[in-house]
């Protein structure tokens, strides 16, 4: 099965009953436990993608388009993880460069941070903070998988920087709405 065959696969039937025994199929045709770290990582990527979809309800314009592109990147990442014995390069360096550019663009519009800030603000920025923490969870699981099996370094870099993007974007959204950031009030 070549790259083209895999990319041409489409869902034709949702209920197959092939996973009833607790295992699931990977893109290369092999079957593994639904409790494997690979399936957990793929599931967390899917969960993050769903949270992005939920956040997009509050987004518009270029922010909404950026979030849609990130959803596409996460699908590419999940596809690559589902075929562990093949490098497909669906997620490539140009996507990481794009993400870095997006983060830099929004960060330039923000004052520098002096302290840690409390997550929150309006509905959209609060959802972006949730995305940041969900992204870190995915990253941790992917690191765990990489300790057992091959995971492209680009995937780890992308997730690390994606959580930074969500943090910066949450700050930007609050700033645009005139919502003051609340600093951590630590007791000495």
């Amino acid at each position: 099965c070549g790259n083209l065959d895999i990319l041409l696969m489409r869902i034709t039937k949702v209920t197959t009953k092939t996973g009833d025994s607790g295992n699931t199929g990977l893109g290369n045709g092999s079957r593994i436990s639904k409790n494997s770290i690979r399936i957990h990582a793929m599931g967390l990527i899917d969960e993050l993608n769903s949270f992005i979809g939920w956040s997009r309800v509050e987004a518009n314009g270029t922010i909404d388009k950026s979030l849609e592109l990130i959803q596409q990147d996460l699908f590419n990442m999940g596809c690559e993880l589902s075929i562990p014995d093949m490098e497909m390069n669906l997620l490539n360096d140009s996507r990481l460069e794009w993400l870095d550019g997006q983060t830099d663009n929004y960060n330039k519009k923000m004052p520098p941070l002096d302290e840690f800030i409390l997550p929150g603000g309006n509905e959209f920025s609060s959802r972006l903070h949730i995305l940041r923490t969900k992204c870190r969870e995915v990253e941790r699981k992917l690191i765990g998988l990489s300790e057992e099996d091959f995971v492209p370094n680009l995937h780890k870099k992308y997730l690390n920087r994606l959580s930074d993007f969500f943090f910066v974007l949450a700050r930007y959204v609050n700033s645009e709405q005139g919502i003051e950031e609340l600093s951590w009030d630590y007791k000495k």
Side-chain angles (χ1 to χ4, degrees):
C1 183
N3 288 2
L4 183 58
D5 295 331
I6 291 166
L7 292 176
L8 293 177
M9 286 189 323
R10 296 291 181 242
I11 295 174
T12 57
K13 188 175 179 184
V14 174
T15 304
T16 62
K17 301 178 183 143
T18 59
D20 289 353
S21 65
N23 60 41
T24 190
L26 293 176
N28 63 3
S30 66
R31 299 197 63 81
I32 62 172
S33 169
K34 289 183 178 183
N35 192 38
S36 76
I37 193 168
R38 179 171 299 279
I39 298 304
H40 280 283
M42 291 166 52
L44 286 173
I45 290 169
D46 185 35
E47 184 178 349
L48 175 61
N49 208 331
S50 295
F51 272 106
I52 294 170
W54 175 58
S55 298
R56 288 184 62 202
V57 170
E58 297 288 326
N60 57 50
T62 58
I63 292 175
D64 182 51
K65 186 61 181 172
S66 293
L67 293 175
E68 178 189 342
L69 292 171
I70 290 166
Q71 286 186 291
Q72 296 288 347
D73 290 342
L74 292 175
F75 258 94
N76 286 335
M77 185 182 294
C79 178
E80 290 180 345
L81 288 176
S82 78
I83 308 168
D85 53 353
M86 182 183 299
E87 285 197 55
M88 299 176 69
N89 299 312
L90 296 176
L91 185 69
N92 57 53
D93 289 333
S94 69
R95 298 304 303 145
L96 184 61
E97 292 166 10
W98 171 84
L99 183 61
D100 286 343
Q102 293 292 303
T103 304
D104 290 345
N105 178 50
Y106 288 111
N107 205 31
K108 283 190 260 183
K109 299 174 184 177
M110 300 299 307
L113 281 173
D114 296 329
E115 296 289 343
F116 288 104
I117 59 168
L118 301 180
N122 66 15
E123 180 70 27
F124 186 36
S125 61
S126 296
R127 290 181 188 189
L128 291 167
H129 278 293
I130 291 169
L131 290 177
R132 173 184 55 79
T133 62
K134 294 305 295 180
C135 189
R136 288 291 185 204
E137 183 180 10
V138 176
E139 180 185 17
R140 289 189 300 271
K141 188 58 78 173
L142 210 63
I143 296 297
L145 175 59
S146 75
E147 292 169 354
E148 295 180 8
D149 203 351
F150 173 76
V151 171
N153 281 329
L154 182 60
H155 291 190
K156 295 180 274 186
K157 289 178 185 179
Y158 187 91
L159 289 169
N160 181 52
R161 296 189 198 164
L162 182 57
S163 63
D164 294 340
F165 170 75
F166 290 139
F167 177 76
V168 169
L169 190 58
R171 291 188 69 217
Y172 173 78
V173 166
N174 278 336
S175 175
E176 286 294 296
Q177 296 294 312
I179 299 169
E180 182 180 348
E181 293 179 326
L182 299 176
S183 296
W184 172 35
D185 184 17
Y186 58 91
K187 306 298 180 211
K188 292 183 182 182

